Amino acid sequence: MYEAVHAHPDGEATVARHAATAARHGYDGIVVRSRDALAAAGDGGGAVATGGDGSPVRDPEAVREEYGVDVVDAVEIDASDPTSASGAVGNYRSDRTVVCVVGGDDALNRFAVEQERVDALVRPMAGGGDFNHVLAKAARDNGVHVEFDFGPALRATGGKRVRALADLRKLREIVDHYDAPYVVSANARSHLQLRAPRELVAVGEAVGFDAEAVREGLRAWGDLVERNRERRSEGFIEPGVRLGRYEEDG
């Protein structure tokens, strides 16, 4: 199972601290959705490079070796409109293993689920956003995973928490009815906000998930990683077709 996190500079904790905490919680990996949190492999900076603000930017291979969890280079595109989002997806698709688009706006929700280049629509209900059967069908047809963001249900109180639970319940019913792919996350911006799978299962059960469905949503991040790494490999041509010795020989 994987968790998708925000690391410094977008979040409050470093990649290494997220990785250490995720390992203690029993995760197999973390998807780092902060654009500038990881140094690109081969940059020559060693285990620790330096960001523009002087903060540590970690090589995912070094963190993986140190803490024993997979560290995935991802990006979360938070755009003001579909046109801006489309340009950003084009810029990052070839460079990042996982590409997410932040929703919450009806136009952005629709854009994300209609793009095969997008791996996940995240926070679709944020800011009063909505999700309906048309979007669920598009997500299913294009293989775009819809995020169940458990963060507000875990961290909000009072009326905000009640609304967060209601949003999750509505989203679950639509996604389940139309069999759209999905991922689950606590949307942690600090290692202190990371939650073990059993805690996310408890939240999920409060809105009608069964325990295995929540675990499947955590495993889905890893499925996306495995699929996309294969697609980015040199031998990949299309699903089920790989470059072999005879093709190389011409």
Side-chain angles (χ1 to χ4, degrees):
M1 289 181 280
Y2 282 57
E3 175 59 297
V5 303
H6 298 268
H8 185 83
D10 295 342
E12 300 171 13
T14 63
V15 172
R17 184 157 287 183
H18 275 299
T21 305
R24 288 198 301 272
H25 285 324
Y27 286 103
D28 299 296
I30 56 172
V31 175
V32 181
R33 37 174 140 184
S34 300
R35 184 185 63 185
D36 298 322
L38 292 172
D43 279 352
V48 183
T50 303
D53 61 354
S55 61
V57 180
R58 300 299 298 266
D59 177 351
E61 292 292 340
V63 179
R64 186 179 299 119
E65 292 178 6
E66 186 172 355
Y67 297 103
V69 295
D70 190 12
V71 177
V72 183
D73 59 317
V75 65
E76 184 176 274
I77 295 167
D78 191 355
S80 58
D81 56 70
T83 300
S84 300
S86 180
V89 170
N91 289 337
Y92 286 110
R93 178 68 277 177
S94 62
D95 294 333
R96 301 302 169 98
T97 301
V98 176
V99 173
C100 307
V101 171
V102 178
D105 170 273
D106 290 343
L108 284 167
N109 282 351
R110 178 178 291 276
F111 163 79
V113 299
E114 291 178 348
Q115 299 293 317
E116 292 184 352
R117 299 177 300 165
V118 173
D119 295 312
L121 165 62
V122 298
R123 304 199 291 285
M125 309 291 277
D130 200 8
F131 197 83
N132 57 36
H133 68 285
V134 175
L135 300 182
K137 290 178 180 178
R140 178 196 63 202
D141 294 344
N142 293 303
V144 178
H145 289 61
V146 180
E147 181 188 44
F148 290 101
D149 175 12
F150 286 7
L154 287 163
R155 298 187 286 273
T157 58
K160 290 184 178 180
R161 186 171 189 271
V162 172
R163 287 193 294 274
L165 289 170
D167 284 346
L168 282 171
R169 188 174 292 110
K170 175 183 178 180
L171 186 60
R172 182 200 64 80
E173 291 172 354
I174 295 172
V175 167
D176 181 65
H177 183 77
Y178 291 98
D179 198 27
Y182 65 91
V183 288
V184 168
S185 175
N187 201 15
R189 292 185 174 273
S190 163
H191 66 293
L192 299 175
Q193 294 179 346
L194 272 169
R195 294 293 180 266
R198 65 179 180 277
E199 296 176 84
L200 298 184
V201 165
V203 174
E205 288 178 333
V207 294
F209 284 95
D210 61 46
E212 184 56 28
V214 176
R215 297 188 189 100
E216 184 61 31
L218 295 170
R219 285 194 289 266
W221 289 111
D223 295 339
L224 283 171
V225 171
E226 182 178 5
R227 182 198 70 183
N228 291 349
R229 282 176 173 166
E230 179 185 4
R231 288 181 175 180
R232 294 174 68 188
S233 66
E234 292 183 0
F236 180 83
I237 297 176
E238 63 180 64
V241 181
R242 296 183 63 84
L243 184 66
R245 178 171 58 87
Y246 296 105
E247 288 84 351
E248 289 176 340
D249 290 345

